[in-house]
Amino acid sequence: MSGRIAVTSLSHAAPFRHVAHAGGQYVLAHARALASAVDTVYFVPESADNAAAQADTWSDSVSVELVSTRLGRIEGLVQRALFLLDPYRWNAGYTRAAVRNPDLVASIRRSDIVEVQWVEYFRLVGFVRRVAPNVRVIGVVHDVVCERIHRHAINSPSRLVRWTAGVGRAVNRFRERRLISALDTAIVLSDKDSGLLADLGVTCHVEVVLPDLEEPGMSDAVGPNSVDGKSVIFVGAFRRPENETAAVHLIEEIWPAVVAAHPDATLHLVGSNPSTRMLAAAENEASVHVTGFVDSIELFYRGARCAVVPLRTGAGVKFKTLSAMLWGVPVVATPVGTEGIGEDSLFYAVSDTDAGLTDGLVHCLNDDQAMVAADRTRTWARARYTSEPFEERLREIYGRDLSTRIRPAATDDNGAQRK
């Protein structure tokens, strides 16, 4: 289309309106923000969600191509075993197929910009440069891999895993610096991650873009003192080890003391792919409810007295924390759960100990002023983590002319305008 910017995106996930994980939610918001002036072809690994995204024609400006990721059984086992030493190889099947894909090569050569989502995919930047030496390359750093590995190391009960992760972190600091520096522009989702890249010695241009987590209904959400009952919510894609481990620990080590103080309290673990360990732990606590995937999380947030984010591992900004803030729900979390967002005063309680998290939950469920404070925090979050500031930043980065274009109103999953 004349006057439009052509983008090829190399990504783990395509924009999909029913995506069940935070990274995919970012990709969807990212695509929506640029759709009025950018035509993007996503080349993504074969998966059920990506196949559904290919069939989901929500925008004429977005198309999806599936790339085979098949590995031999032995190669797949070796890849998983060496993940901590070489996390950039977890997409080895995708990488192998991508460099041999004539449609991908042709798309890169037609593009004004090649966009790469997730640091693990940045190893393809060298291939992109060979195919189209003058194309502009923008990478989205969803989280800093070295930090993720470091936390996995210090929190693992296995001495071998801690040692392996420690070696992997040392090796990958150099690799991550080199991979990110090969970009023209790196997009990070918090000032904290910008600082981490500076500490790594990254030399490319770095832009901070606070993510858009706005959802229909947030503008009139909850409000002070409007919630009956004592419901606590923990949201996550429980296929991710950091969420699953945190959920089991919450059920077994923290929640019993909360219920002892509040016998009528309930805990809702809301998200896709709950593990057998989670389900087994929940069977022993009648007040714990594991939902699995839900089409809409709105009712859970509207009924929540408190949100808990008990993560000890992982990296990057936790979208679940920001979502709770935007819904006006008080947050009790670990420092990992609040990192990259703001001062501890924005949250009801922040603690790295089980006792501190328990105390925060017990007091929050009995504090009539907790939601009054959370309503003020919601105003703070809405000024930063909603569609308007997000879209303005992406327009600025992807092309100065984007800021002068008229964009259609964004829509929710049912086609209704999002205000």
Side-chain angles (χ1 to χ4, degrees):
M1 298 180 188
S2 178
R4 293 177 64 83
I5 291 177
V7 173
T8 296
S9 184
L10 312 178
S11 174
H12 174 60
F16 177 42
R17 286 180 289 180
H18 306 290
V19 68
H21 55 88
Q25 290 166 12
Y26 174 85
V27 171
L28 176 60
H30 184 103
R32 279 176 165 160
L34 295 172
S36 63
V38 173
D39 294 317
T40 305
V41 183
Y42 285 84
F43 285 84
V44 294
E46 291 177 334
S47 72
D49 275 359
N50 287 337
Q54 187 179 47
D56 185 11
T57 56
W58 63 271
S59 173
D60 291 338
S61 69
V62 171
S63 60
V64 176
E65 299 290 338
L66 302 180
V67 176
S68 173
T69 59
R70 293 184 182 89
L71 291 174
R73 183 172 180 273
I74 300 301
E75 188 176 12
L77 290 172
V78 171
Q79 177 178 292
R80 285 193 290 274
L82 295 178
F83 175 76
L84 291 175
L85 285 174
D86 189 5
Y88 311 100
R89 291 197 60 80
W90 67 261
N91 63 336
Y94 173 93
T95 300
R96 180 183 302 162
V99 301
R100 300 172 180 174
N101 188 319
D103 293 333
L104 175 54
V105 170
S107 183
I108 289 171
R109 288 175 174 158
R110 288 193 301 267
S111 293
D112 302 301
I113 294 171
V114 171
E115 166 191 288
V116 191
Q117 301 271 354
W118 281 277
V119 174
E120 291 89 341
Y121 280 63
F122 290 6
R123 65 196 298 252
L124 283 162
V125 172
F127 159 70
V128 171
R129 298 290 192 198
R130 290 191 296 273
V131 169
N134 297 319
V135 74
R136 185 180 174 200
V137 183
I138 298 175
V140 181
V141 181
H142 287 243
D143 56 47
V144 179
V145 173
C146 288
E147 184 180 42
R148 190 198 316 153
I149 293 172
H150 174 64
R151 286 186 175 149
H152 187 75
I154 63 177
N155 284 281
S156 174
S158 166
R159 185 175 300 175
L160 176 61
V161 169
R162 291 198 301 271
W163 180 87
T164 304
V167 173
R169 179 173 182 260
V171 170
N172 285 299
R173 280 183 62 85
F174 169 77
R175 296 192 65 191
E176 193 158 19
R177 176 173 69 247
R178 180 175 58 81
L179 288 170
I180 298 176
S181 294
L183 303 168
D184 293 303
T185 300
I187 292 175
V188 295
L189 307 184
S190 71
D191 290 325
K192 185 217 70 167
D193 281 355
S194 178
L196 287 175
L197 296 196
D199 291 341
L200 281 174
V202 166
T203 57
C204 72
H205 187 63
V206 178
E207 295 275 5
V208 178
V209 179
L210 302 183
D212 168 22
L213 298 174
E214 189 171 12
E215 298 178 43
M218 277 182 171
S219 60
D220 63 347
V222 188
N225 302 316
S226 62
V227 176
D228 296 324
K230 295 180 179 179
S231 172
V232 176
I233 183 173
F234 176 35
V235 177
F238 294 108
R239 177 170 48 190
R240 294 184 66 92
E242 59 266 32
N243 290 332
E244 190 263 358
T245 299
V248 173
H249 188 82
L250 173 64
I251 296 169
E252 295 179 344
E253 305 298 334
I254 296 173
W255 189 247
V258 177
V259 174
H262 297 284
D264 54 343
T266 56
L267 172 63
H268 297 270
L269 303 174
V270 184
S272 60
N273 301 111
S275 69
T276 53
R277 280 206 313 158
M278 285 176 59
L279 296 172
E283 284 182 359
N284 298 321
E285 293 284 351
S287 60
V288 177
H289 306 279
V290 181
T291 71
F293 175 77
V294 295
D295 288 325
S296 173
I297 209 164
E298 179 175 353
L299 292 178
F300 291 94
Y301 275 122
R302 286 188 178 274
R305 187 79 177 182
C306 182
V308 61
V309 188
L311 300 175
R312 300 284 166 74
T313 58
V317 175
K318 306 304 180 293
F319 288 7
K320 57 178 67 67
T321 305
L322 289 167
S323 290
M325 297 168 74
L326 288 163
W327 282 105
V329 179
V331 175
V332 172
T334 60
V336 172
T338 64
E339 68 180 351
I341 297 174
E343 299 295 327
D344 285 358
S345 59
L346 291 168
F347 313 100
Y348 187 83
V350 180
S351 176
D352 205 25
T353 69
D354 290 352
L357 294 173
T358 300
D359 188 62
L361 289 170
V362 168
H363 283 85
C364 186
L365 291 174
N366 204 37
D367 186 352
D368 290 337
Q369 294 301 306
M371 297 196 74
V372 176
D375 197 56
R376 292 194 296 268
T377 299
R378 178 176 62 179
T379 300
W380 177 91
R382 284 188 60 80
R384 293 163 175 80
Y385 295 98
T386 49
S387 58
E388 186 173 348
F390 178 71
E391 291 170 8
E392 287 177 359
R393 288 290 290 128
L394 285 182
R395 292 190 208 111
E396 178 186 351
I397 294 166
Y398 276 69
R400 287 186 296 273
D401 64 320
L402 292 182
S403 62
T404 65
R405 296 179 185 270
I406 299 174
R407 66 178 179 86
T411 61
D412 64 19
D413 291 353
N414 297 314
Q417 285 192 351
R418 296 168 65 203
K419 304 296 186 182

